Structure formats: structure tokens, C-alpha cells
Amino acid sequence: MSEHTNEQSKNQDLEQFRKEPGELLTTNEGVKVNNTNDSLKTGTRGPSLLEDFHLLEKNAHFNRERIPERVVHARGVGAHGYFQPYESLKELTKAKFLQDPSVKTPVFVRFSTVAGFRGSADAVRDVRGFAVKFYTEDGNYDLVGNNIPVFFIQDAMKFPDLIHAVKPEPHNEMPQASTAHDNFWDFVSLMPESMHMIMWVLSDRTIPRSYRMMQGFGIHTFRFVNEQGKARFVKFHWKPLLGIHSMVFDEIQTLGGKDPDFHRRDLLEAIEMGDYPEYELGVQIVEEEDEFKFDFDILDSTKIIPEELVPIKPIGKMVLNRVPDNFFAETEQVAFQPTNVVPGIDFSDDPLLQGRIFAYPDTQRHRLGTANFESLPINRPVCPVHNDQRDGFSQYNIYTSKVNYSPNSLGGGCPMASPENMGAFVHYAEKLGGRKVRERSESFSDHFSQATLFLNSMSKAEKEHLVKAAHFELGKVMNKEVKERVVGLFNHIDHEFATLVAAGLGLEAPAKELIPNHGKSSPALSMENQPKDSIKTRQIAVLAADGVDAAQLMVIKKALEAEGALTRIVSKFGGKIKGTDGKEIDVERTFLTSASVMFDAIYIPGGEKSIATLKMDNDVSEFIYSAFKHCKAIAATGEGVDLIAAANIKDIKLADAEKSVSDKGVITSRNASDVKQIVQDFVKAIAQHRHWIREEKKETKQM
Ligand code: HDD
């Protein structure tokens, strides 16, 4: 298929199922309806009649509209797009969608949280799902990953227990969408294999700024197999071109209330505005002969292969460029399965992956209520499907052949199995051996070294956030023994870390250091070491009222928008305000309908009257103060500088009469003529994402 057909293929396929509203209302049987407001009655005040098939059908259908939500990852958002390889990967794999750099393979991606129910908030501390369905010409390939490169457990046998422990407690169904409770930490305290994942969970990785600014990982080791049958081990990585950015915990606690749909809205609005999220797909390749060269087992899903050991080779780019037409039909019904592999990509013996191969199709059949869920539009492959699987609930296909078995002569032997050289999937002929045992491999037994590696790789600010997250999570645990056991496990990671966590919980510090910290780190693991060179799609709040200095506002607004950022005029009331040039300016948000947690930075233009009005509004100083507390970039020009001073923000230098100042990400200039000068500083400060220096306190001991 050429580039054009590939990218179009899924959209064209979906075209046939798109239901436009239509003019005349009918029943599902196509019978036109003359009145959908009143049930059929005996006289206007008499009883309703059983023969009112329109009333019956409409209510009966409504009563069956909800299907079981996903047992995990219930809360999510999806988008269509395409994947395009940078070059042919035929040396490594024969997977068709990785052969031709001119071919764009349609994809559907769903991002999700894990713990919360379908209606829970986006902005929570949680792992994020990153599931990609490639509609390739050789069948659907699903890379069902997370934004964290490891997992809590090593063997799928423990998954039901893990999720039972994560989910709200069975006696009172609390807390919603949170691991800060006794059951979860009791389970963790008895599962040392979860320690590496726990460090990632307590890190800023689980409070992402946006689905567009978080990494994705396939986690497991898989296999690439090329045309010659040569296999290599492979791990998959998604890297967002906008960089990797997180929020601060205090921010998401507010955001969960102010805008529970924040991440969903952020993704869909960006795509609708044409700011298509882009992710680079990278692979780490390990030759089969190198399988045992590491001091960890590459089949162990609680371990990463540090990039410094095996570099990531970028192999292509995914662009998300279309929002779903219908949330339920597409995002709710999409069925991802690690089971879905295509020729050229195969499984490894990772016991977590092996269990997932069963779990996903099983869960889809249950929650979508049919074995025919792959016929649903969003799940249909774009390539031909031929087999003898028939009937079952909601069978959409009308098979014309009377032959539904193999072998057969009456159907010309079709559909027949095809040889590998005609594109059939042949499982990699891995050489196996060993007795049947229900045991864990000795090579899976190091549960702490990579947890220590991750902790050592964190920046100062990231480490402090991690300790604070432990204080919050375990601070909500009532059972003292559970907390003590967790601190005991932390002591295997790093004695100082365990001591700091214990201090915040009012527990005895661990008596002594058990294992000296190995001191190794992997710089690639810290978000501070990721590129911070773009303000594209960042949302900047412009605080203004009548009398705002229109010249200053327009200079900054234009400059930010030239860099791809979005500005939003925020004022006390909706409608319009008037600038000093007498022109009207549309108000886009008010202090009531928004909060600084919904923005990446703040700009306060001058204008005596505007500032005088804003100064009288407590919401304004709260707006500015929380942006400062969340370490966001703030700029103010002219009289706007007085508003910062009024927001009782301490220990930063502000502009004086002559000179503009840029201090800890706060850029101010009273002198209207050098507004242009501060633009560069402001853009740089926003690109920095956050200014953690503001969190530095003199007195408390830090990591
Ligand atoms: Fe899972 C859904 C990711 C381990 C069983 N999982 C689900 C989704 C993602 C992941 C992203 C949501 C897919 C969507 O958007 O519809 N799961 C992972 C990752 C894992 C992992 C990265 C570890 C490497 N999962 C895992 C195990 C099992 C499952 C070990 C079972 C043995 N996961 C499921 C499931 C779900 C699911 C119960 C629930 C809804 C669904 O499948 O479609 O089958």
C-alpha cells in the first residue's frame, strides 16, 4: 500500500460506520417517529399502552447503554494518528510497517490512569497507560505500555492481587483513584520486587503535565525477527517531542477539583488546534548472545536496561492528528492486547508478558460482551480477515460460503494457511528446556539495585518531591507495622532516604545502613536532563482588567504566540475589557472559572486602572501566589510589577524604576520601553518549565 492508502485506510474503513445525525427521527427498525415527547396513552391522562414500541425500545436501549468499564485503566482518552518510520528496519525486523519510510501506518492511541474508575479525575498521582494500536497491512499490532519503564510485579500471577490492593478498599470503596491507603502499602510492604516501581510511582513521573509531555515504554523485552529468521531482543520507548514535564503534587490536588478532565481536554484541544502531539519511537536492541551479559535479567519487568548500557535507536515518529468522533464507539470500545503481534515482532518469555497474552483478549470478550469484538469499527484491521470463526453474539459478518471448516474441498481448500514467505506469522522457534516448576528465577532476585539507581539519578528537587510523596502516601496509612515495613524496605534502597521518610512519618529511623548505596546513576532517568527548549502549546494566563496597557499586552502576546504558546485573557468577569487604546479585548477565562494550576505561566501587563482593579481582588493574589508556589514562570511589566509585590511573594528581586530584573523565573520591568527585552527572558523561563530553586529552603536537611 502506498503512503496515501495507508494513512487513509483506517479513516476510509471507519467512514462506512460514521452515522451522521440524519433529518427524520426513526426507531432502530427505521420506522419514522411522529412524536418522541409523549408516551402512547388512553386519553391524555390515561395509562400508557404496552404497544408503544417507541417508548419500549428507547428506554430498553437506554437501560443497556453502560458496559463494564475496564477493570484497570478505566479512565482514559484516545486519538487517531499515524506512525512513519525514519528508515527501513529490514536488518532488524520484517514487520511491514517498519520497512518503508514513505508509508504512514494509521494508529489509535489511548492514554489512561490505572487506579481510578471511569469517571475519576485525570490529575492524580498514578501510572499512565500509553496504548498504541497500529493498523498495519499485516494485521493489528498493539504496543500496550505505560509512562513508567518497569512494573510492580514480575509474574502475571500477582496481577489480580496487585490490583485488588491498589483499588478502593472493598469494605468502603475508598479512596478513589489513589494508592495512599493501607491495603496498597500492606501489599507493597510484603512485595520487595515492587521497590523499583515504587520509586517511579513516588516520583514526579506519575503527575505528568500532559499526555503530550510524557514518555511511553513497552516495558517488556520483546523479539524483533528479520526476513532471514534472525532474532534479537528489543525494548520500545516513546519520547514526546515537547519534552517530558510534570506538575507538582500540590497543583494536581487543586487541579483534580478545578478541572477533573484536564489531561483529556489538554490532548483533544491541542489536536483540534492543529498542535499535533508527536512522539519518537526508539528501540534498545540486545543480540541473543548478549542475553546474560547484564547484572539483571532482561526478562524481568521490574528492571530497565539503562540507556547508558544500550542506547536507544530512534526508528520513527508518531503524530496524533485526529480526535475521535464518538467517545464510546472509539475510545471506550477500543480493545488493546499485547497479544496482537505481527510477523517480525514476537514475544519473549517474560512471565509478566506471558500472562498478559491471555488476560487482554479475555477481558475484551467480557467487557465488550462478544467474541466478535474485533469486528467493531475501531478494532477492525485494515487488511483482509478470513477464517472459519462463525456466529457468536453480535456477528456482523455475512459469510457467503457454506464451508466453515478446514480442511475442505467444497470451498477450494480456502481460506488456507499460508507459508511464512507469504506473510504468515510463524512463532520464533526458540529452543526451550527444563522441568515444569512453579518458581521464580534466581536472576530476578535483586529488588533494590535499580531502585537505588533511580533514586541516585534524581535531581535535588526530584528527590525532595519523592520524599514528600512518600510522606503523603504513607502518611495516609493507618497501620504502623505497614509503614515500618515499607521504611525497612526503603532502607535497602538508601539509608538516608529511609531515614528522611521515617522522620516525616514520626517513625524510628532505621537503626543502620543495610546496603551501602552503590552510587551509580543513569542521567537519562531525570526529567531535569531532558530538553527544555520549547514553549509550544504552553498556556499563559494574562491577568487584565479595564485600562490594561494594550501596547504592552500585544507585544508580549504576539511574541509568545510566535513561539507557539497560547495566551488566555483572564479577568474578574466574562465578556470584554477595554485597553488603554480604547479597543475591546475578549475575556477568555475568569478567576472563578479557572485557576493558575490550569496554566504554565502568568503575564501581568501594566495599566494603572487595570492593576488598581486587580489589586482589590483576593482571587488575583491567590492566582499569582499559587503560580509562584508551583515554581512557574511569571512576568510583569509597568504597573503590573506592583501586583506581584502585593501577592506577598517573598525573597525575589523585582524591577526598580529603570532596570528590568529576572530572578528565579520572575521577570519584571517597569520601564515599558524594554518590554521587548523581557520577552526573551520570559520565553526562556517558560521553557525551563519550573523554577525549583524557589523551593530551596535554608534550614531543613535535604537529600
Ligand atoms: Fe494491563 C489494561 C498496561 C500489566 C491486564 N494495561 C491495560 C491498559 C494499559 C495496560 C495501558 C489500558 C489499555 C486501554 O487503554 O484500553 N498492563 C499494562 C502494562 C503492564 C500491564 C504496561 C505491565 C507491563 N495488565 C498487566 C498484567 C495484566 C494486565 C500483568 C494481567 C495479567 N491490563 C490488563 C487488563 C486490562 C489492562 C485487565 C484492563 C482493561 C483492558 O485490559 O483492556 O486485561
Side-chain angles (χ1 to χ4, degrees):
M1 283 191 216
S2 74
E3 168 183 340
H4 179 73
T5 47
N6 255 10
E7 195 195 347
Q8 296 304 326
S9 52
K10 190 58 197 168
N11 297 350
Q12 278 160 356
D13 181 54
L14 289 173
E15 205 49 48
Q16 57 186 312
F17 298 99
R18 270 200 189 86
K19 290 288 296 167
E20 299 308 328
E23 269 160 40
L24 299 179
L25 183 74
T26 72
T27 65
N28 284 332
E29 309 299 333
V31 176
K32 290 187 185 64
V33 169
N34 73 329
N35 171 343
T36 193
N37 302 321
D38 303 293
S39 45
L40 189 66
K41 299 181 205 62
T42 319
T44 54
R45 298 177 65 249
S48 301
L49 295 172
L50 189 61
E51 67 178 75
D52 183 353
F53 56 82
H54 177 38
L55 169 75
L56 303 185
E57 179 195 85
K58 187 173 172 182
N59 278 277
H61 189 282
F62 171 75
N63 295 339
R64 293 162 178 77
E65 284 183 355
R66 297 280 71 74
I67 64 171
E69 67 177 35
R70 290 170 174 81
V71 71
V72 277
H73 294 270
R75 168 82 188 179
V77 60
H80 291 275
Y82 65 83
F83 172 80
Q84 188 169 10
Y86 291 145
E87 58 183 3
S88 167
L89 270 181
K90 71 176 179 18
E91 260 316 290
L92 295 172
T93 173
K94 60 183 173 182
K96 273 269 178 64
F97 74 105
L98 293 173
Q99 302 303 308
D100 179 346
S102 77
V103 169
K104 291 181 177 180
T105 297
V107 299
F108 188 79
V109 177
R110 183 171 180 271
F111 300 107
S112 48
T113 57
V114 177
F117 295 159
R118 195 177 152 193
S120 57
D122 284 338
V124 292
R125 177 180 296 283
D126 196 353
V127 175
R128 291 315 191 276
F130 193 134
V132 184
K133 186 179 284 287
F134 298 81
Y135 302 96
T136 90
E137 50 189 295
D138 268 356
N140 291 347
Y141 168 55
D142 292 356
L143 184 55
V144 190
N146 281 339
N147 74 327
I148 305 288
V150 291
F151 202 65
F152 295 94
I153 53 176
Q154 295 170 324
D155 189 312
M157 178 66 85
K158 297 310 295 166
F159 188 75
D161 304 296
L162 165 70
I163 301 306
H164 279 182
V166 163
K167 285 283 190 179
E169 301 196 356
H171 64 297
N172 59 16
E173 197 163 277
M174 290 196 292
Q176 174 59 245
S178 168
T179 46
H181 59 98
D182 285 49
N183 282 13
F184 175 71
W185 287 100
D186 181 31
F187 176 79
V188 164
S189 71
L190 301 164
M191 287 285 285
E193 71 196 68
S194 66
M195 279 300 109
H196 186 196
M197 180 68 171
I198 288 298
M199 299 309 280
W200 283 83
V201 167
L202 294 175
S203 79
D204 291 341
R205 296 288 186 133
T206 48
I207 44 178
R209 156 64 183 81
S210 165
Y211 286 133
R212 301 176 291 122
M213 302 172 195
M214 70 176 199
Q215 281 179 283
F217 302 91
I219 299 179
H220 308 295
T221 299
F222 293 91
R223 276 194 172 88
F224 265 163
V225 185
N226 68 13
E227 209 55 68
Q228 293 68 42
K230 166 108 182 90
R232 294 173 178 84
F233 293 112
V234 58
K235 274 186 179 278
F236 294 101
H237 299 255
W238 291 108
K239 214 167 232 176
L241 271 60
L242 283 175
I244 308 160
H245 306 293
S246 284
M247 297 191 177
V248 293
F249 189 53
D250 179 66
E251 194 177 357
I252 60 157
Q253 289 187 297
T254 310
L255 197 53
K258 273 282 179 185
D259 184 5
D261 301 310
F262 182 80
H263 286 140
R264 180 178 283 189
R265 185 192 319 284
D266 169 88
L267 177 77
L268 299 178
E269 277 183 358
I271 295 173
E272 281 162 343
M273 281 189 282
D275 284 320
Y276 299 145
E278 298 177 320
Y279 305 83
E280 181 167 77
L281 180 62
V283 291
Q284 288 178 299
I285 301 291
V286 174
E287 297 296 337
E288 285 197 312
E289 55 271 23
D290 295 339
E291 177 175 2
F292 299 105
K293 81 170 196 186
F294 305 99
D295 60 5
F296 51 85
D297 193 323
I298 61 171
L299 297 186
D300 176 354
S301 280
T302 66
K303 303 296 184 302
I304 59 169
I305 303 179
E307 285 184 43
E308 291 77 17
L309 289 184
V310 179
I312 294 177
K313 171 188 170 55
I315 63 169
K317 187 166 81 171
M318 176 168 73
V319 178
L320 301 184
N321 60 5
R322 190 164 65 79
V323 299
D325 292 304
N326 181 284
F327 187 92
F328 181 85
E330 298 170 89
T331 309
E332 202 53 26
Q333 291 195 128
V334 66
F336 292 99
Q337 309 170 85
T339 327
N340 293 349
V341 287
V342 291
I345 297 175
D346 208 330
F347 307 113
S348 75
D349 299 338
D350 170 344
L352 195 74
L353 172 60
Q354 292 287 315
R356 293 180 74 197
I357 294 167
F358 157 75
Y360 288 70
D362 184 53
T363 204
Q364 308 309 356
R365 292 182 189 107
H366 169 66
R367 74 181 186 90
L368 295 168
T370 168
N372 296 309
F373 65 87
E374 293 103 335
S375 302
L376 287 167
I378 191 64
N379 295 321
R380 291 156 51 96
V382 292
C383 59
V385 172
H386 299 299
N387 56 46
D388 294 324
Q389 297 170 39
R390 292 287 182 275
D391 312 341
F393 286 108
S394 314
Q395 177 54 258
Y396 304 93
N397 300 311
I398 300 171
Y399 295 97
T400 53
S401 163
K402 80 177 184 74
V403 174
N404 57 3
Y405 52 85
S406 168
N408 72 70
S409 66
L410 302 180
C414 296
M416 59 184 81
S418 45
E420 188 170 3
N421 61 18
M422 280 181 67
F425 185 94
V426 173
H427 290 264
Y428 176 64
E430 178 190 4
K431 198 164 167 356
L432 298 170
R435 294 184 180 292
K436 283 183 197 163
V437 292
R438 200 180 283 280
E439 289 167 17
R440 195 67 59 88
S441 165
E442 185 44 39
S443 58
F444 280 34
S445 59
D446 174 0
H447 303 317
F448 303 107
S449 311
Q450 289 205 354
T452 309
L453 175 80
F454 181 75
L455 183 67
N456 292 346
S457 310
M458 294 297 99
S459 68
K460 195 151 149 307
E462 287 171 324
K463 272 185 191 164
E464 278 164 21
H465 297 169
L466 207 153
V467 170
K468 215 168 153 193
H471 289 160
F472 177 85
E473 287 281 321
L474 289 161
K476 293 264 192 178
V477 170
M478 295 300 121
N479 183 294
K480 190 165 179 269
E481 286 70 47
V482 168
K483 289 186 273 192
E484 285 169 344
R485 276 202 306 270
V486 175
V487 168
L489 286 176
F490 285 173
N491 198 29
H492 285 80
I493 297 172
D494 177 85
H495 180 64
E496 187 187 357
F497 169 63
T499 305
L500 281 169
V501 172
L505 300 172
L507 298 175
E508 281 288 300
K512 61 180 177 34
E513 180 175 64
L514 292 177
I515 315 168
N517 185 317
H518 53 59
K520 284 184 267 180
S521 67
S522 167
L525 299 181
S526 165
M527 287 186 280
E528 289 310 293
N529 299 333
Q530 301 293 334
K532 300 200 184 307
D533 51 10
S534 165
I535 69 167
K536 268 188 81 202
T537 78
R538 294 311 189 116
Q539 305 243 0
I540 322 298
V542 179
L543 314 192
D546 275 331
V548 60
D549 185 310
Q552 291 175 23
L553 195 164
M554 290 325 281
V555 165
I556 301 280
K557 179 175 161 62
K558 283 208 173 76
L560 293 176
E561 287 168 357
E563 298 282 339
L566 305 159
T567 57
R568 294 269 183 262
I569 306 291
V570 185
S571 192
K572 184 159 182 69
F573 298 118
K576 296 179 185 306
I577 55 175
K578 223 175 231 173
T580 43
D581 59 359
K583 288 199 186 115
E584 289 191 327
I585 302 166
D586 286 334
V587 173
E588 294 160 291
R589 303 282 188 281
T590 69
F591 294 115
L592 189 63
T593 59
S594 68
S596 80
V597 290
M598 297 157 79
F599 299 94
D600 292 294
I602 289 185
Y603 167 51
I604 311 160
E608 212 169 314
K609 190 170 166 248
S610 170
I611 298 305
T613 307
L614 294 175
K615 251 191 202 165
M616 289 189 295
D617 187 338
N618 291 336
D619 289 343
V620 175
S621 29
E622 164 50 34
F623 200 102
I624 299 168
Y625 181 73
S626 57
F628 182 81
K629 188 170 96 173
H630 299 146
C631 301
K632 295 176 181 177
I634 300 175
T637 51
E639 298 84 350
V641 182
D642 301 334
L643 203 57
I644 294 187
N648 70 1
I649 292 172
K650 299 201 178 34
D651 71 16
I652 45 153
K653 283 194 289 306
L654 293 174
D656 56 25
E658 293 316 313
K659 211 159 62 51
S660 65
V661 168
S662 174
D663 178 29
K664 300 190 188 82
V666 178
I667 295 93
T668 53
S669 159
R670 288 181 190 284
N671 181 349
S673 61
D674 72 1
V675 168
K676 275 206 173 31
Q677 158 55 33
I678 73 161
V679 165
Q680 279 89 341
D681 293 346
F682 190 27
V683 167
K684 225 166 67 217
I686 299 168
Q688 187 52 38
H689 182 58
R690 297 297 163 93
H691 299 269
W692 302 125
I693 188 171
R694 295 181 200 162
E695 293 181 326
E696 296 204 354
K697 293 181 193 59
K698 313 272 180 300
E699 65 289 348
T700 46
K701 175 153 181 35
Q702 282 132 15
M703 278 290 296

